[in-house]
mmCIF file with all atom_site columns, all heavy atoms in Angstrom:
data_model
loop_
_atom_site.group_PDB
_atom_site.id
_atom_site.type_symbol
_atom_site.label_atom_id
_atom_site.label_alt_id
_atom_site.label_comp_id
_atom_site.label_asym_id
_atom_site.label_entity_id
_atom_site.label_seq_id
_atom_site.pdbx_PDB_ins_code
_atom_site.Cartn_x
_atom_site.Cartn_y
_atom_site.Cartn_z
_atom_site.occupancy
_atom_site.B_iso_or_equiv
_atom_site.pdbx_formal_charge
_atom_site.auth_seq_id
_atom_site.auth_comp_id
_atom_site.auth_asym_id
_atom_site.auth_atom_id
_atom_site.pdbx_PDB_model_num
ATOM 1  N N   . ASP A 1 59 ? -10.436 31.348 -48.465 1.00 98.00 ? 59 ASP A N   1
ATOM 2  C CA  . ASP A 1 59 ? -11.708 31.668 -48.972 1.00 98.00 ? 59 ASP A CA  1
ATOM 3  C C   . ASP A 1 59 ? -12.027 30.997 -50.358 1.00 98.00 ? 59 ASP A C   1
ATOM 4  O O   . ASP A 1 59 ? -13.061 30.501 -50.614 1.00 98.00 ? 59 ASP A O   1
ATOM 5  C CB  . ASP A 1 59 ? -11.889 33.167 -49.140 1.00 98.00 ? 59 ASP A CB  1
ATOM 6  C CG  . ASP A 1 59 ? -12.128 33.923 -47.888 1.00 98.00 ? 59 ASP A CG  1
ATOM 7  O OD1 . ASP A 1 59 ? -12.430 33.284 -46.824 1.00 98.00 ? 59 ASP A OD1 1
ATOM 8  O OD2 . ASP A 1 59 ? -12.014 35.104 -47.826 1.00 98.00 ? 59 ASP A OD2 1
ATOM 9  N N   . LYS A 1 62 ? -12.723 27.181 -49.875 1.00 98.00 ? 62 LYS A N   1
ATOM 10 C CA  . LYS A 1 62 ? -13.970 26.868 -49.222 1.00 98.00 ? 62 LYS A CA  1
ATOM 11 C C   . LYS A 1 62 ? -15.128 27.296 -50.036 1.00 98.00 ? 62 LYS A C   1
ATOM 12 O O   . LYS A 1 62 ? -16.197 26.628 -50.140 1.00 98.00 ? 62 LYS A O   1
ATOM 13 C CB  . LYS A 1 62 ? -14.083 27.418 -47.813 1.00 98.00 ? 62 LYS A CB  1
ATOM 14 C CG  . LYS A 1 62 ? -14.259 28.858 -47.734 1.00 98.00 ? 62 LYS A CG  1
ATOM 15 C CD  . LYS A 1 62 ? -14.311 29.428 -46.323 1.00 98.00 ? 62 LYS A CD  1
ATOM 16 C CE  . LYS A 1 62 ? -14.533 30.937 -46.283 1.00 98.00 ? 62 LYS A CE  1
ATOM 17 N NZ  . LYS A 1 62 ? -14.437 31.452 -44.981 1.00 98.00 ? 62 LYS A NZ  1
ATOM 18 N N   . GLU A 1 72 ? -23.084 24.953 -47.355 1.00 96.00 ? 72 GLU A N   1
ATOM 19 C CA  . GLU A 1 72 ? -22.635 26.240 -46.791 1.00 96.00 ? 72 GLU A CA  1
ATOM 20 C C   . GLU A 1 72 ? -21.164 26.139 -46.196 1.00 96.00 ? 72 GLU A C   1
ATOM 21 O O   . GLU A 1 72 ? -20.852 25.154 -45.568 1.00 96.00 ? 72 GLU A O   1
ATOM 22 C CB  . GLU A 1 72 ? -23.578 26.723 -45.633 1.00 96.00 ? 72 GLU A CB  1
ATOM 23 C CG  . GLU A 1 72 ? -23.291 28.116 -45.205 1.00 96.00 ? 72 GLU A CG  1
ATOM 24 C CD  . GLU A 1 72 ? -24.347 28.601 -44.302 1.00 96.00 ? 72 GLU A CD  1
ATOM 25 O OE1 . GLU A 1 72 ? -25.551 28.197 -44.359 1.00 96.00 ? 72 GLU A OE1 1
ATOM 26 O OE2 . GLU A 1 72 ? -24.097 29.481 -43.480 1.00 96.00 ? 72 GLU A OE2 1
ATOM 27 N N   . ALA A 1 73 ? -20.303 27.131 -46.570 1.00 97.00 ? 73 ALA A N   1
ATOM 28 C CA  . ALA A 1 73 ? -18.995 27.158 -46.027 1.00 97.00 ? 73 ALA A CA  1
ATOM 29 C C   . ALA A 1 73 ? -18.880 27.889 -44.707 1.00 97.00 ? 73 ALA A C   1
ATOM 30 O O   . ALA A 1 73 ? -19.729 28.677 -44.366 1.00 97.00 ? 73 ALA A O   1
ATOM 31 C CB  . ALA A 1 73 ? -18.145 27.897 -47.025 1.00 97.00 ? 73 ALA A CB  1
ATOM 32 N N   . PRO A 1 74 ? -17.844 27.550 -43.963 1.00 96.00 ? 74 PRO A N   1
ATOM 33 C CA  . PRO A 1 74 ? -17.682 28.319 -42.733 1.00 96.00 ? 74 PRO A CA  1
ATOM 34 C C   . PRO A 1 74 ? -17.384 29.838 -43.019 1.00 96.00 ? 74 PRO A C   1
ATOM 35 O O   . PRO A 1 74 ? -16.858 30.194 -44.073 1.00 96.00 ? 74 PRO A O   1
ATOM 36 C CB  . PRO A 1 74 ? -16.466 27.690 -42.044 1.00 96.00 ? 74 PRO A CB  1
ATOM 37 C CG  . PRO A 1 74 ? -15.799 26.942 -43.171 1.00 96.00 ? 74 PRO A CG  1
ATOM 38 C CD  . PRO A 1 74 ? -16.791 26.570 -44.183 1.00 96.00 ? 74 PRO A CD  1
ATOM 39 N N   . VAL A 1 75 ? -17.768 30.623 -42.137 1.00 96.00 ? 75 VAL A N   1
ATOM 40 C CA  . VAL A 1 75 ? -17.612 32.144 -42.213 1.00 96.00 ? 75 VAL A CA  1
ATOM 41 C C   . VAL A 1 75 ? -16.421 32.479 -41.382 1.00 96.00 ? 75 VAL A C   1
ATOM 42 O O   . VAL A 1 75 ? -16.174 32.118 -40.243 1.00 96.00 ? 75 VAL A O   1
ATOM 43 C CB  . VAL A 1 75 ? -18.822 32.854 -41.727 1.00 96.00 ? 75 VAL A CB  1
ATOM 44 C CG1 . VAL A 1 75 ? -18.604 34.376 -41.759 1.00 96.00 ? 75 VAL A CG1 1
ATOM 45 C CG2 . VAL A 1 75 ? -20.029 32.484 -42.610 1.00 96.00 ? 75 VAL A CG2 1
ATOM 46 N N   . HIS A 1 76 ? -15.562 33.302 -42.094 1.00 97.00 ? 76 HIS A N   1
ATOM 47 C CA  . HIS A 1 76 ? -14.364 33.869 -41.378 1.00 97.00 ? 76 HIS A CA  1
ATOM 48 C C   . HIS A 1 76 ? -14.453 35.363 -41.490 1.00 97.00 ? 76 HIS A C   1
ATOM 49 O O   . HIS A 1 76 ? -14.795 35.843 -42.628 1.00 97.00 ? 76 HIS A O   1
ATOM 50 C CB  . HIS A 1 76 ? -13.089 33.352 -41.975 1.00 97.00 ? 76 HIS A CB  1
ATOM 51 C CG  . HIS A 1 76 ? -12.876 31.884 -41.824 1.00 97.00 ? 76 HIS A CG  1
ATOM 52 N ND1 . HIS A 1 76 ? -13.233 30.915 -42.759 1.00 97.00 ? 76 HIS A ND1 1
ATOM 53 C CD2 . HIS A 1 76 ? -12.426 31.164 -40.751 1.00 97.00 ? 76 HIS A CD2 1
ATOM 54 C CE1 . HIS A 1 76 ? -12.953 29.700 -42.295 1.00 97.00 ? 76 HIS A CE1 1
ATOM 55 N NE2 . HIS A 1 76 ? -12.399 29.864 -41.094 1.00 97.00 ? 76 HIS A NE2 1
ATOM 56 N N   . ASP A 1 77 ? -14.231 36.137 -40.488 1.00 95.00 ? 77 ASP A N   1
ATOM 57 C CA  . ASP A 1 77 ? -14.432 37.587 -40.456 1.00 95.00 ? 77 ASP A CA  1
ATOM 58 C C   . ASP A 1 77 ? -13.187 38.327 -40.956 1.00 95.00 ? 77 ASP A C   1
ATOM 59 O O   . ASP A 1 77 ? -13.132 39.577 -40.900 1.00 95.00 ? 77 ASP A O   1
ATOM 60 C CB  . ASP A 1 77 ? -14.821 38.064 -39.087 1.00 95.00 ? 77 ASP A CB  1
ATOM 61 C CG  . ASP A 1 77 ? -16.141 37.545 -38.640 1.00 95.00 ? 77 ASP A CG  1
ATOM 62 O OD1 . ASP A 1 77 ? -17.075 37.331 -39.485 1.00 95.00 ? 77 ASP A OD1 1
ATOM 63 O OD2 . ASP A 1 77 ? -16.268 37.301 -37.366 1.00 95.00 ? 77 ASP A OD2 1
ATOM 64 N N   . ASP A 1 78 ? -12.133 37.644 -41.336 1.00 97.00 ? 78 ASP A N   1
ATOM 65 C CA  . ASP A 1 78 ? -10.956 38.306 -41.841 1.00 97.00 ? 78 ASP A CA  1
ATOM 66 C C   . ASP A 1 78 ? -10.330 39.209 -40.853 1.00 97.00 ? 78 ASP A C   1
ATOM 67 O O   . ASP A 1 78 ? -9.753  40.277 -41.178 1.00 97.00 ? 78 ASP A O   1
ATOM 68 C CB  . ASP A 1 78 ? -11.171 38.994 -43.191 1.00 97.00 ? 78 ASP A CB  1
ATOM 69 C CG  . ASP A 1 78 ? -11.592 38.054 -44.326 1.00 97.00 ? 78 ASP A CG  1
ATOM 70 O OD1 . ASP A 1 78 ? -11.268 36.918 -44.246 1.00 97.00 ? 78 ASP A OD1 1
ATOM 71 O OD2 . ASP A 1 78 ? -12.185 38.643 -45.253 1.00 97.00 ? 78 ASP A OD2 1
ATOM 72 N N   . ARG A 1 89 ? -7.300  29.180 -39.033 1.00 98.00 ? 89 ARG A N   1
ATOM 73 C CA  . ARG A 1 89 ? -8.210  29.430 -40.160 1.00 98.00 ? 89 ARG A CA  1
ATOM 74 C C   . ARG A 1 89 ? -7.958  28.348 -41.196 1.00 98.00 ? 89 ARG A C   1
ATOM 75 O O   . ARG A 1 89 ? -8.959  27.779 -41.729 1.00 98.00 ? 89 ARG A O   1
ATOM 76 C CB  . ARG A 1 89 ? -8.085  30.817 -40.689 1.00 98.00 ? 89 ARG A CB  1
ATOM 77 C CG  . ARG A 1 89 ? -8.915  31.140 -41.882 1.00 98.00 ? 89 ARG A CG  1
ATOM 78 C CD  . ARG A 1 89 ? -8.649  32.495 -42.406 1.00 98.00 ? 89 ARG A CD  1
ATOM 79 N NE  . ARG A 1 89 ? -9.473  32.748 -43.706 1.00 98.00 ? 89 ARG A NE  1
ATOM 80 C CZ  . ARG A 1 89 ? -10.225 33.843 -43.851 1.00 98.00 ? 89 ARG A CZ  1
ATOM 81 N NH1 . ARG A 1 89 ? -10.118 34.818 -42.917 1.00 98.00 ? 89 ARG A NH1 1
ATOM 82 N NH2 . ARG A 1 89 ? -10.832 34.001 -44.927 1.00 98.00 ? 89 ARG A NH2 1
ATOM 83 N N   . SER A 1 92 ? -9.331  25.095 -40.077 1.00 98.00 ? 92 SER A N   1
ATOM 84 C CA  . SER A 1 92 ? -10.823 24.978 -40.096 1.00 98.00 ? 92 SER A CA  1
ATOM 85 C C   . SER A 1 92 ? -11.298 24.756 -41.616 1.00 98.00 ? 92 SER A C   1
ATOM 86 O O   . SER A 1 92 ? -12.302 24.055 -41.727 1.00 98.00 ? 92 SER A O   1
ATOM 87 C CB  . SER A 1 92 ? -11.497 26.250 -39.529 1.00 98.00 ? 92 SER A CB  1
ATOM 88 O OG  . SER A 1 92 ? -11.410 27.395 -40.443 1.00 98.00 ? 92 SER A OG  1
#
Side-chain angles (χ1 to χ4, degrees):
D59 282 348
K62 72 181 182 184
E72 193 171 329
V75 175
H76 296 96
D77 293 330
D78 296 339
R89 178 182 177 133
S92 76

